[in-house]
Coordinates of all heavy atoms in Angstrom, one line a residue:
M472 N -10.8 8.6 58.9 CA -10.5 9.0 57.5 C -11.8 8.7 56.7 O -12.3 7.7 56.8 CB -9.3 8.2 57.0 CG -9.0 8.6 55.6 SD -7.3 8.2 55.2 CE -7.4 6.5 54.7
D473 N -12.1 9.7 55.9 CA -13.3 9.6 55.1 C -12.9 9.0 53.7 O -12.0 9.6 53.0 CB -13.9 11.0 54.9 CG -15.4 11.0 55.1 OD1 -15.9 10.0 55.6 OD2 -15.9 12.1 54.9
V474 N -13.5 7.9 53.3 CA -13.3 7.3 51.9 C -14.5 7.3 51.1 O -15.6 6.8 51.6 CB -12.7 5.9 52.1 CG1 -12.5 5.3 50.7 CG2 -11.5 5.9 52.9
S475 N -14.5 8.0 50.0 CA -15.7 8.0 49.2 C -15.9 6.7 48.4 O -15.0 5.9 48.2 CB -15.6 9.2 48.2 OG -14.6 9.0 47.2
L476 N -17.1 6.6 47.9 CA -17.4 5.4 47.1 C -16.6 5.4 45.8 O -16.1 4.4 45.4 CB -18.9 5.4 46.7 CG -19.4 4.3 45.8 CD1 -19.1 2.9 46.5 CD2 -20.8 4.4 45.5
L477 N -16.3 6.6 45.2 CA -15.5 6.7 44.0 C -14.1 6.2 44.3 O -13.5 5.5 43.5 CB -15.5 8.1 43.5 CG -14.7 8.4 42.2 CD1 -15.2 7.5 41.1 CD2 -14.8 9.9 41.8
E478 N -13.5 6.6 45.4 CA -12.2 6.1 45.8 C -12.1 4.6 45.9 O -11.2 4.0 45.5 CB -11.7 6.8 47.0 CG -11.4 8.3 46.8 CD -11.1 9.0 48.1 OE1 -11.7 8.6 49.2 OE2 -10.3 10.0 48.1
L479 N -13.2 4.0 46.5 CA -13.2 2.6 46.6 C -13.3 1.9 45.3 O -12.7 0.9 45.0 CB -14.4 2.2 47.5 CG -14.3 2.4 49.0 CD1 -15.6 2.1 49.7 CD2 -13.2 1.6 49.6
V480 N -14.1 2.5 44.4 CA -14.2 1.9 43.0 C -12.9 2.0 42.3 O -12.4 1.0 41.7 CB -15.3 2.6 42.2 CG1 -15.3 2.2 40.8 CG2 -16.7 2.3 42.8
R481 N -12.2 3.1 42.4 CA -10.9 3.3 41.8 C -9.9 2.3 42.4 O -9.1 1.7 41.7 CB -10.3 4.7 42.0 CG -11.0 5.7 41.2 CD -10.4 7.1 41.4 NE -11.1 8.1 40.6 CZ -11.1 9.3 40.9 NH1 -10.5 9.8 42.0 NH2 -11.8 10.2 40.2
F482 N -9.9 2.0 43.7 CA -9.0 1.1 44.3 C -9.3 -0.3 43.8 O -8.4 -1.1 43.5 CB -9.2 1.1 45.9 CG -8.3 0.1 46.5 CD1 -7.0 0.3 46.7 CD2 -8.9 -1.0 47.1 CE1 -6.2 -0.7 47.3 CE2 -8.2 -2.0 47.7 CZ -6.8 -1.8 47.8
E483 N -10.6 -0.7 43.7 CA -11.0 -2.0 43.3 C -10.5 -2.2 41.8 O -10.0 -3.2 41.5 CB -12.5 -2.2 43.3 CG -13.0 -2.6 44.7 CD -12.4 -4.0 45.1 OE1 -12.4 -4.9 44.3 OE2 -12.0 -4.1 46.3
L484 N -10.7 -1.2 41.0 CA -10.3 -1.2 39.6 C -8.8 -1.4 39.5 O -8.3 -2.3 38.8 CB -10.8 0.0 38.8 CG -10.4 0.0 37.3 CD1 -11.0 -1.2 36.6 CD2 -10.9 1.3 36.7
A485 N -8.1 -0.6 40.3 CA -6.6 -0.7 40.2 C -6.2 -2.1 40.7 O -5.2 -2.7 40.2 CB -6.0 0.4 41.1
S486 N -6.8 -2.6 41.7 CA -6.5 -3.9 42.3 C -6.8 -5.0 41.2 O -6.0 -6.0 41.1 CB -7.2 -4.2 43.5 OG -6.9 -3.3 44.5
S487 N -7.9 -4.9 40.5 CA -8.3 -5.9 39.6 C -7.4 -5.9 38.3 O -7.3 -6.9 37.6 CB -9.8 -5.7 39.2 OG -9.9 -4.5 38.4
L488 N -6.7 -4.8 38.1 CA -5.8 -4.7 37.0 C -4.4 -5.1 37.4 O -3.5 -4.9 36.6 CB -5.8 -3.3 36.4 CG -7.1 -2.8 35.7 CD1 -7.0 -1.3 35.3 CD2 -7.4 -3.7 34.5
C489 N -4.3 -5.7 38.6 CA -3.0 -6.2 39.0 C -1.9 -5.1 39.1 O -0.8 -5.3 38.8 CB -2.5 -7.3 38.2 SG -3.6 -8.7 38.1
G490 N -2.3 -3.9 39.5 CA -1.4 -2.8 39.7 C -1.0 -2.1 38.4 O -0.1 -1.3 38.4
M491 N -1.6 -2.4 37.3 CA -1.3 -1.8 36.0 C -1.7 -0.3 36.1 O -2.7 0.0 36.6 CB -2.0 -2.4 34.8 CG -1.5 -3.8 34.5 SD -2.5 -4.7 33.2 CE -2.7 -3.5 32.0
V492 N -0.8 0.5 35.6 CA -1.1 2.0 35.5 C -1.4 2.4 34.1 O -0.9 1.7 33.1 CB 0.1 2.8 36.1 CG1 0.3 2.5 37.5 CG2 1.4 2.5 35.3
P493 N -2.2 3.4 33.9 CA -2.6 3.8 32.5 C -1.3 4.3 31.8 O -0.4 4.7 32.4 CB -3.6 4.9 32.7 CG -3.6 5.2 34.1 CD -2.9 4.2 34.9
S494 N -1.4 4.1 30.5 CA -0.3 4.6 29.6 C -0.1 6.1 29.7 O -1.1 6.8 29.9 CB -0.5 4.2 28.2 OG -0.7 2.9 28.0
P495 N 1.1 6.6 29.6 CA 1.3 8.0 29.7 C 0.7 8.7 28.4 O 0.5 8.0 27.4 CB 2.8 8.2 29.7 CG 3.4 6.9 29.1 CD 2.4 5.9 29.4
R496 N 0.4 10.0 28.5 CA -0.1 10.7 27.4 C 0.9 10.7 26.3 O 2.1 10.9 26.5 CB -0.5 12.1 27.8 CG -1.2 12.9 26.8 CD -1.9 14.1 27.5 NE -2.7 14.8 26.5 CZ -2.3 15.9 25.9 NH1 -1.2 16.5 26.2 NH2 -3.1 16.5 25.1
K497 N 0.4 10.5 25.1 CA 1.3 10.5 23.9 C 1.6 11.9 23.4 O 1.0 12.8 23.8 CB 0.7 9.6 22.8 CG 0.6 8.1 23.2 CD 0.2 7.3 22.1 CE 0.1 5.8 22.6 NZ -0.3 5.0 21.5
I498 N 2.5 11.9 22.4 CA 2.9 13.2 21.8 C 1.8 13.8 21.0 O 0.8 13.1 20.7 CB 4.2 13.1 21.0 CG1 3.9 12.2 19.8 CG2 5.3 12.6 21.8 CD1 5.0 12.1 18.7
S499 N 1.9 15.1 20.8 CA 0.8 15.8 20.0 C 1.1 15.6 18.5 O 2.2 15.1 18.1 CB 0.9 17.3 20.3 OG 2.1 17.9 19.7
L500 N 0.1 15.9 17.7 CA 0.3 15.7 16.2 C 1.4 16.6 15.7 O 2.2 16.3 14.8 CB -1.0 16.1 15.5 CG -2.1 15.0 15.7 CD1 -3.5 15.5 15.1 CD2 -1.8 13.7 15.0
A501 N 1.5 17.9 16.3 CA 2.6 18.8 15.9 C 4.0 18.2 16.2 O 4.9 18.3 15.4 CB 2.4 20.1 16.6
Q502 N 4.1 17.5 17.3 CA 5.4 16.9 17.7 C 5.7 15.7 16.7 O 6.8 15.5 16.4 CB 5.4 16.4 19.1 CG 5.4 17.6 20.1 CD 5.1 17.1 21.5 OE1 4.2 16.3 21.7 NE2 5.8 17.6 22.5
A503 N 4.6 15.0 16.3 CA 4.8 13.9 15.4 C 5.3 14.4 14.1 O 6.2 13.8 13.5 CB 3.5 13.1 15.2
V504 N 4.8 15.5 13.6 CA 5.2 16.1 12.3 C 6.7 16.5 12.5 O 7.5 16.3 11.6 CB 4.3 17.2 11.9 CG1 4.9 18.0 10.7 CG2 2.9 16.7 11.5
K505 N 7.0 17.2 13.6 CA 8.3 17.7 13.9 C 9.4 16.6 13.8 O 10.5 16.7 13.4 CB 8.4 18.4 15.2 CG 9.7 19.1 15.5 CD 9.6 19.9 16.7 CE 10.9 20.7 17.0 NZ 10.8 21.5 18.2
Q506 N 9.0 15.4 14.3 CA 10.0 14.2 14.3 C 10.0 13.5 13.0 O 10.7 12.5 12.8 CB 9.7 13.3 15.5 CG 8.5 12.4 15.3 CD 8.2 11.5 16.5 OE1 8.8 11.8 17.6 NE2 7.4 10.5 16.4
G507 N 9.2 14.0 12.0 CA 9.3 13.4 10.7 C 8.2 12.4 10.3 O 8.2 11.9 9.2
D508 N 7.2 12.3 11.1 CA 6.1 11.4 10.8 C 5.2 12.0 9.7 O 4.9 13.2 9.7 CB 5.2 11.1 12.0 CG 5.9 10.3 13.0 OD1 7.0 9.6 12.7 OD2 5.5 10.3 14.2
T509 N 4.8 11.2 8.7 CA 4.1 11.7 7.5 C 2.7 11.2 7.5 O 1.8 11.6 6.7 CB 4.8 11.5 6.2 OG1 5.0 10.0 6.1 CG2 6.1 12.2 6.1
A510 N 2.4 10.1 8.3 CA 1.1 9.5 8.3 C 0.7 9.1 9.7 O 1.5 9.0 10.6 CB 1.0 8.3 7.4
L511 N -0.6 9.0 9.9 CA -1.1 8.5 11.2 C -1.9 7.2 11.0 O -2.8 7.2 10.1 CB -2.1 9.6 11.7 CG -2.8 9.3 13.1 CD1 -1.8 9.2 14.2 CD2 -3.8 10.4 13.3
I512 N -1.5 6.2 11.7 CA -2.2 4.9 11.7 C -3.0 4.8 13.0 O -2.5 4.9 14.0 CB -1.3 3.8 11.5 CG1 -0.5 3.9 10.2 CG2 -2.0 2.4 11.5 CD1 0.5 2.8 9.9
I513 N -4.3 4.4 12.8 CA -5.2 4.2 14.0 C -5.7 2.8 13.9 O -6.3 2.4 12.9 CB -6.3 5.3 14.0 CG1 -5.8 6.7 14.0 CG2 -7.2 5.0 15.2 CD1 -6.8 7.7 13.8
Y514 N -5.5 2.0 14.9 CA -6.0 0.7 15.0 C -7.1 0.6 16.1 O -7.0 1.1 17.2 CB -4.9 -0.3 15.5 CG -3.8 -0.5 14.6 CD1 -2.6 0.3 14.7 CD2 -3.8 -1.4 13.6 CE1 -1.6 0.1 13.9 CE2 -2.7 -1.6 12.7 CZ -1.6 -0.8 12.9 OH -0.5 -1.0 12.1
C515 N -8.2 0.0 15.8 CA -9.3 -0.2 16.7 C -8.9 -1.3 17.7 O -8.5 -2.4 17.4 CB -10.6 -0.6 16.1 SG -11.9 -0.9 17.3
A516 N -8.9 -1.0 19.0 CA -8.5 -1.9 20.1 C -9.7 -2.3 20.9 O -9.6 -2.8 22.1 CB -7.4 -1.3 21.0
T517 N -10.9 -2.2 20.4 CA -12.1 -2.5 21.1 C -12.3 -4.0 21.1 O -12.1 -4.7 20.1 CB -13.4 -1.9 20.4 OG1 -13.2 -0.5 20.3 CG2 -14.6 -2.2 21.1
F518 N -12.6 -4.6 22.3 CA -12.8 -6.0 22.5 C -13.9 -6.5 21.5 O -15.0 -5.9 21.4 CB -13.2 -6.3 23.9 CG -13.5 -7.8 24.1 CD1 -12.5 -8.7 24.2 CD2 -14.8 -8.2 24.3 CE1 -12.8 -10.1 24.4 CE2 -15.1 -9.5 24.5 CZ -14.1 -10.5 24.5
D519 N -13.6 -7.6 20.9 CA -14.6 -8.2 20.0 C -14.6 -9.7 20.2 O -13.6 -10.4 19.8 CB -14.3 -7.8 18.5 CG -15.3 -8.4 17.5 OD1 -16.2 -9.1 17.9 OD2 -15.1 -8.2 16.3
P520 N -15.6 -10.3 20.8 CA -15.6 -11.7 21.1 C -15.6 -12.6 19.8 O -15.2 -13.7 19.8 CB -16.8 -12.0 21.9 CG -17.7 -10.8 21.6 CD -16.8 -9.7 21.2
K521 N -16.0 -12.0 18.7 CA -16.0 -12.8 17.4 C -14.7 -12.7 16.7 O -14.5 -13.5 15.7 CB -17.1 -12.2 16.5 CG -18.5 -12.4 17.1 CD -19.5 -11.8 16.2 CE -19.4 -10.3 16.4 NZ -20.4 -9.5 15.7
A522 N -13.7 -11.9 17.1 CA -12.5 -11.7 16.4 C -11.6 -13.0 16.7 O -11.7 -13.6 17.7 CB -11.8 -10.5 16.9
H523 N -10.7 -13.3 15.7 CA -9.8 -14.4 15.9 C -8.7 -13.9 16.8 O -8.2 -12.8 16.7 CB -9.2 -14.8 14.5 CG -10.2 -15.4 13.6 ND1 -10.7 -16.6 13.8 CD2 -10.8 -14.9 12.5 CE1 -11.6 -16.9 12.8 NE2 -11.7 -15.8 12.1
S524 N -8.2 -14.8 17.6 CA -7.1 -14.5 18.5 C -5.9 -15.3 18.1 O -5.8 -16.5 18.2 CB -7.5 -14.9 20.0 OG -6.4 -14.7 20.8
Y525 N -4.9 -14.6 17.5 CA -3.7 -15.3 17.0 C -2.6 -15.3 18.1 O -2.4 -14.3 18.8 CB -3.2 -14.5 15.8 CG -4.2 -14.5 14.7 CD1 -4.9 -13.4 14.4 CD2 -4.4 -15.7 13.9 CE1 -5.9 -13.4 13.4 CE2 -5.3 -15.7 12.9 CZ -6.0 -14.5 12.6 OH -7.0 -14.5 11.6
S526 N -2.0 -16.4 18.3 CA -0.9 -16.5 19.3 C -1.3 -16.1 20.7 O -0.6 -15.6 21.5 CB 0.3 -15.7 18.9 OG 0.7 -16.1 17.6
G527 N -2.6 -16.3 21.0 CA -3.1 -16.0 22.4 C -3.3 -14.5 22.6 O -3.5 -14.1 23.8
G528 N -3.2 -13.7 21.6 CA -3.4 -12.3 21.8 C -4.8 -11.9 22.1 O -5.7 -12.7 22.0
P529 N -5.1 -10.6 22.4 CA -6.4 -10.2 22.7 C -7.3 -10.2 21.5 O -6.9 -10.1 20.4 CB -6.2 -8.8 23.2 CG -5.0 -8.3 22.6 CD -4.1 -9.6 22.5
R530 N -8.6 -10.5 21.8 CA -9.6 -10.4 20.7 C -10.1 -9.0 20.5 O -11.0 -8.6 21.3 CB -10.7 -11.4 21.0 CG -10.3 -12.8 21.1 CD -11.5 -13.7 21.5 NE -11.0 -15.1 21.4 CZ -11.7 -16.0 20.7 NH1 -12.8 -15.7 20.1 NH2 -11.2 -17.2 20.6
T531 N -9.6 -8.3 19.5 CA -10.0 -7.0 19.3 C -10.4 -6.8 17.8 O -10.1 -7.6 17.0 CB -8.8 -6.0 19.5 OG1 -7.7 -6.3 18.7 CG2 -8.3 -6.0 21.0
C532 N -11.2 -5.8 17.6 CA -11.7 -5.5 16.3 C -10.5 -5.4 15.3 O -10.6 -5.9 14.2 CB -12.5 -4.2 16.3 SG -13.0 -3.6 14.7
S533 N -9.5 -4.6 15.6 CA -8.3 -4.4 14.8 C -8.5 -3.7 13.5 O -7.6 -3.8 12.6 CB -7.6 -5.8 14.6 OG -7.2 -6.3 15.8
H534 N -9.6 -3.1 13.3 CA -9.9 -2.3 12.0 C -8.8 -1.2 12.0 O -8.5 -0.6 13.0 CB -11.3 -1.7 12.0 CG -11.6 -1.0 10.8 ND1 -12.2 0.3 10.8 CD2 -11.5 -1.3 9.5 CE1 -12.4 0.7 9.6 NE2 -12.0 -0.2 8.8
K535 N -8.2 -1.0 10.8 CA -7.1 0.0 10.7 C -7.4 1.0 9.7 O -8.0 0.8 8.7 CB -5.9 -0.8 10.3 CG -4.6 0.1 10.1 CD -3.5 -0.8 9.6 CE -3.1 -0.5 8.2 NZ -1.9 -1.1 7.7
R536 N -7.0 2.3 10.0 CA -7.1 3.4 9.0 C -5.8 4.1 9.0 O -5.3 4.4 10.1 CB -8.3 4.3 9.4 CG -8.3 5.5 8.5 CD -9.6 5.8 7.9 NE -9.5 6.9 7.0 CZ -10.1 8.1 7.1 NH1 -10.7 8.4 8.2 NH2 -9.9 9.0 6.2
E537 N -5.3 4.5 7.9 CA -4.1 5.3 7.7 C -4.5 6.6 7.0 O -5.1 6.5 6.0 CB -3.0 4.5 7.0 CG -1.7 5.3 6.8 CD -0.6 4.5 6.2 OE1 -0.6 3.3 6.2 OE2 0.3 5.2 5.6
I538 N -4.1 7.7 7.6 CA -4.4 9.0 7.0 C -3.1 9.8 6.9 O -2.2 9.7 7.8 CB -5.5 9.8 7.7 CG1 -5.2 10.0 9.2 CG2 -6.8 9.1 7.6 CD1 -6.2 10.9 9.9
H539 N -3.0 10.7 5.9 CA -1.9 11.6 5.8 C -1.9 12.5 7.0 O -2.9 13.0 7.5 CB -1.9 12.3 4.5 CG -0.6 13.0 4.1 ND1 -0.3 14.2 4.5 CD2 0.5 12.5 3.5 CE1 0.9 14.5 4.1 NE2 1.4 13.5 3.5
M540 N -0.7 12.9 7.4 CA -0.6 13.8 8.6 C -1.2 15.1 8.4 O -1.8 15.7 9.3 CB 0.9 13.9 9.0 CG 1.1 14.5 10.4 SD 0.3 13.5 11.7 CE 1.5 12.2 11.9
S541 N -1.2 15.7 7.1 CA -1.9 17.0 6.9 C -3.4 16.8 7.1 O -4.0 17.8 7.6 CB -1.6 17.5 5.5 OG -2.0 16.5 4.5
E542 N -4.0 15.7 6.7 CA -5.4 15.5 6.9 C -5.7 15.3 8.4 O -6.7 15.9 8.9 CB -5.8 14.2 6.2 CG -7.3 13.9 6.3 CD -7.7 12.6 5.6 OE1 -6.9 12.0 4.9 OE2 -8.9 12.2 5.8
A543 N -4.8 14.7 9.2 CA -5.0 14.5 10.6 C -4.9 15.9 11.3 O -5.7 16.2 12.2 CB -3.9 13.6 11.2
L544 N -4.0 16.7 10.9 CA -3.9 18.1 11.5 C -5.1 18.9 11.2 O -5.6 19.6 12.1 CB -2.6 18.8 10.9 CG -1.3 18.3 11.4 CD1 -0.1 18.8 10.6 CD2 -1.1 18.6 12.9
A545 N -5.7 18.8 10.0 CA -6.9 19.5 9.6 C -8.1 19.0 10.5 O -8.9 19.8 10.9 CB -7.2 19.4 8.2
M546 N -8.2 17.7 10.7 CA -9.3 17.2 11.4 C -9.2 17.4 12.9 O -10.2 17.7 13.5 CB -9.4 15.7 11.1 CG -9.9 15.3 9.8 SD -10.4 13.6 9.4 CE -9.3 12.6 10.4
F547 N -8.0 17.2 13.5 CA -7.9 17.2 15.0 C -7.2 18.4 15.6 O -7.3 18.6 16.8 CB -7.2 15.9 15.4 CG -7.9 14.6 14.9 CD1 -7.1 13.8 14.0 CD2 -9.2 14.3 15.2 CE1 -7.7 12.6 13.6 CE2 -9.7 13.2 14.7 CZ -9.0 12.3 13.9
G548 N -6.4 19.1 14.8 CA -5.7 20.2 15.3 C -4.3 19.8 15.8 O -4.1 18.6 16.2
E549 N -3.3 20.7 15.7 CA -1.9 20.3 16.0 C -1.6 20.0 17.4 O -0.7 19.3 17.7 CB -1.0 21.3 15.4 CG -1.1 22.7 16.0 CD -0.1 23.7 15.4 OE1 0.2 23.5 14.2 OE2 0.3 24.6 16.1
Q550 N -2.4 20.5 18.4 CA -2.1 20.3 19.8 C -2.8 19.0 20.3 O -2.5 18.6 21.5 CB -2.5 21.5 20.6 CG -1.7 22.7 20.3 CD -0.2 22.5 20.4 OE1 0.2 21.9 21.4 NE2 0.5 23.0 19.4
T551 N -3.6 18.3 19.5 CA -4.2 17.1 20.0 C -3.2 16.0 20.2 O -2.4 15.7 19.3 CB -5.3 16.7 19.0 OG1 -6.2 17.7 18.8 CG2 -6.1 15.4 19.5
S552 N -3.3 15.3 21.3 CA -2.4 14.2 21.6 C -2.8 13.0 20.8 O -4.0 12.8 20.6 CB -2.4 13.9 23.1 OG -1.8 12.7 23.4
L553 N -1.9 12.1 20.5 CA -2.2 10.8 19.8 C -3.1 9.9 20.7 O -3.8 9.1 20.2 CB -1.0 10.1 19.4 CG -0.1 10.7 18.3 CD1 1.1 9.8 18.0 CD2 -0.9 11.0 17.1
S554 N -3.0 10.1 22.0 CA -3.9 9.3 22.9 C -5.2 10.0 23.2 O -6.1 9.3 23.8 CB -3.2 9.1 24.3 OG -2.8 10.4 24.8
D555 N -5.5 11.2 22.7 CA -6.7 11.9 22.9 C -7.5 12.2 21.6 O -8.4 13.0 21.6 CB -6.5 13.2 23.6 CG -5.8 13.1 25.0 OD1 -6.1 12.0 25.6 OD2 -5.1 14.0 25.4
L556 N -7.3 11.4 20.6 CA -8.0 11.6 19.3 C -9.5 11.3 19.5 O -9.8 10.2 20.1 CB -7.5 10.8 18.2 CG -6.0 11.1 17.8 CD1 -5.5 10.0 16.9 CD2 -5.9 12.4 17.2
P557 N -10.4 12.2 19.1 CA -11.8 11.9 19.2 C -12.3 11.0 18.0 O -12.9 11.5 17.1 CB -12.5 13.3 19.2 CG -11.5 14.1 18.3 CD -10.2 13.5 18.6
V558 N -12.0 9.7 18.1 CA -12.3 8.8 17.0 C -13.3 7.7 17.4 O -13.3 7.4 18.6 CB -11.1 8.2 16.4 CG1 -10.2 9.3 15.7 CG2 -10.3 7.4 17.4
R559 N -14.0 7.2 16.5 CA -14.9 6.0 16.7 C -14.7 5.1 15.5 O -14.6 5.5 14.3 CB -16.3 6.5 16.8 CG -17.3 5.3 16.9 CD -18.7 5.8 16.9 NE -18.9 6.7 18.1 CZ -19.9 6.5 18.9 NH1 -20.7 5.6 18.8 NH2 -20.0 7.4 19.9
C560 N -14.6 3.8 15.7 CA -14.4 2.8 14.7 C -15.6 2.8 13.7 O -16.7 2.7 14.2 CB -14.1 1.4 15.3 SG -13.8 0.1 14.0
S561 N -15.3 2.9 12.4 CA -16.4 2.8 11.5 C -16.9 1.4 11.3 O -18.0 1.2 10.7 CB -15.9 3.4 10.1 OG -14.8 2.7 9.6
L562 N -16.2 0.4 11.8 CA -16.6 -1.0 11.6 C -17.5 -1.4 12.8 O -18.6 -1.9 12.6 CB -15.4 -1.9 11.4 CG -15.7 -3.3 11.0 CD1 -16.3 -3.4 9.6 CD2 -14.4 -4.1 11.0
C563 N -17.0 -1.3 14.0 CA -17.7 -1.8 15.2 C -18.3 -0.7 16.1 O -19.0 -1.0 17.0 CB -16.7 -2.6 16.0 SG -15.5 -1.7 17.0
G564 N -17.9 0.6 15.9 CA -18.4 1.7 16.7 C -17.6 1.9 18.0 O -18.0 2.8 18.7
G565 N -16.6 1.1 18.2 CA -15.8 1.2 19.5 C -15.0 2.5 19.5 O -14.7 3.1 18.5
R566 N -14.6 2.9 20.7 CA -13.8 4.1 20.9 C -12.4 3.8 21.5 O -11.6 4.7 21.7 CB -14.5 5.1 21.9 CG -15.7 5.7 21.3 CD -16.3 6.7 22.2 NE -17.5 7.3 21.6 CZ -17.5 8.4 20.9 NH1 -16.4 9.1 20.7 NH2 -18.6 8.9 20.5
D567 N -12.1 2.5 21.7 CA -10.7 2.2 22.2 C -9.8 2.0 20.9 O -10.2 1.3 20.0 CB -10.7 0.8 22.9 CG -11.5 0.9 24.2 OD1 -11.5 2.0 24.8 OD2 -12.2 -0.1 24.6
F568 N -8.7 2.7 21.0 CA -7.8 2.7 19.8 C -6.3 2.8 20.2 O -6.0 3.1 21.3 CB -8.2 3.8 18.9 CG -7.9 5.2 19.5 CD1 -6.7 5.8 19.2 CD2 -8.8 5.8 20.2 CE1 -6.4 7.1 19.8 CE2 -8.6 7.1 20.8 CZ -7.4 7.7 20.6
I569 N -5.5 2.5 19.2 CA -4.1 2.7 19.3 C -3.7 3.6 18.1 O -4.0 3.2 17.0 CB -3.3 1.4 19.3 CG1 -3.7 0.5 20.5 CG2 -1.8 1.6 19.2 CD1 -3.2 -0.9 20.3
A570 N -3.0 4.7 18.4 CA -2.6 5.6 17.3 C -1.1 5.7 17.3 O -0.5 5.8 18.3 CB -3.2 6.9 17.5
R571 N -0.5 5.7 16.1 CA 0.9 5.8 15.9 C 1.2 6.7 14.7 O 0.6 6.6 13.6 CB 1.5 4.4 15.5 CG 1.3 3.4 16.6 CD 2.4 3.5 17.7 NE 2.3 2.4 18.6 CZ 1.7 2.5 19.8 NH1 1.2 3.6 20.2 NH2 1.7 1.5 20.6
G572 N 2.2 7.5 14.9 CA 2.7 8.3 13.7 C 3.8 7.5 13.0 O 4.5 6.8 13.7
V573 N 3.8 7.5 11.7 CA 4.7 6.7 10.9 C 5.3 7.6 9.8 O 4.7 8.5 9.4 CB 4.1 5.4 10.3 CG1 3.7 4.5 11.4 CG2 2.9 5.8 9.4
R574 N 6.5 7.2 9.4 CA 7.1 7.8 8.2 C 6.8 6.9 7.0 O 7.1 5.7 7.0 CB 8.6 7.9 8.4 CG 8.9 8.9 9.5 CD 10.4 9.0 9.7 NE 10.6 9.8 10.9 CZ 11.7 9.7 11.6 NH1 12.7 8.9 11.3 NH2 11.8 10.4 12.7
T575 N 6.3 7.5 6.0 CA 6.0 6.7 4.8 C 7.0 7.0 3.7 O 7.5 8.1 3.7 CB 4.5 7.0 4.2 OG1 4.4 8.4 4.0 CG2 3.5 6.5 5.2
E576 N 7.3 6.1 2.8 CA 8.2 6.3 1.7 C 7.5 7.1 0.6 O 6.4 6.8 0.3 CB 8.7 4.9 1.2 CG 9.5 4.1 2.2 CD 10.8 4.8 2.7 OE1 11.4 5.4 1.8 OE2 11.1 4.7 3.9
A577 N 8.2 8.0 0.0 CA 7.7 8.7 -1.1 C 7.7 7.8 -2.3 O 8.7 7.1 -2.6 CB 8.6 10.0 -1.4
G578 N 6.5 7.7 -2.9 CA 6.3 6.8 -4.0 C 6.8 7.1 -5.3 O 7.0 6.6 -6.2

């Protein structure tokens, strides 16, 4: 059986992550709007050794930005998945993020 170097690297990475599998692809922006979300919150999840770790949690940048869903649709397009947003943190420059659609109260 032929095993490529890439397959070995993938196996090592999977083994080192203790069998963790990647998160499933999230819903699209259009689906978020359809379910009633009115804003998009994006948190930077990039590792930052200088960040404070509360309750033993990971040390991440945690910079947050909230934008109205109409602005998100204009910037990224309605078919873009929340897990595939082409974003970069304006504070640390990292590309690891967590995105959530939320319903905001009318003020």
Side-chain angles (χ1 to χ4, degrees):
M472 182 159 84
D473 230 8
V474 179
S475 71
L476 180 60
L477 181 58
E478 288 171 330
L479 286 174
V480 169
R481 285 182 184 155
F482 176 76
E483 276 300 314
L484 181 59
S486 298
S487 69
L488 294 175
C489 302
M491 291 174 45
V492 294
S494 298
R496 190 164 185 255
K497 294 186 179 184
I498 64 172
S499 70
L500 290 171
Q502 291 168 318
V504 169
K505 188 175 182 179
Q506 73 182 16
D508 294 339
T509 57
L511 177 66
I512 297 179
I513 303 170
Y514 296 91
C515 179
T517 303
F518 176 74
D519 182 0
K521 296 177 284 183
H523 294 286
S524 177
Y525 300 102
S526 302
R530 294 175 173 237
T531 59
C532 171
S533 300
H534 183 227
K535 176 181 114 175
R536 171 129 190 250
E537 182 175 335
I538 57 176
H539 194 270
M540 197 57 81
S541 61
E542 184 182 350
L544 288 168
M546 287 190 326
F547 305 119
E549 63 183 29
Q550 295 307 314
T551 303
S552 166
L553 294 181
S554 55
D555 296 334
L556 297 172
V558 295
R559 179 183 296 234
C560 180
S561 59
L562 189 64
C563 74
R566 291 186 181 265
D567 295 327
F568 66 92
I569 299 168
R571 300 276 185 258
V573 294
R574 294 181 189 153
T575 56
E576 297 296 322

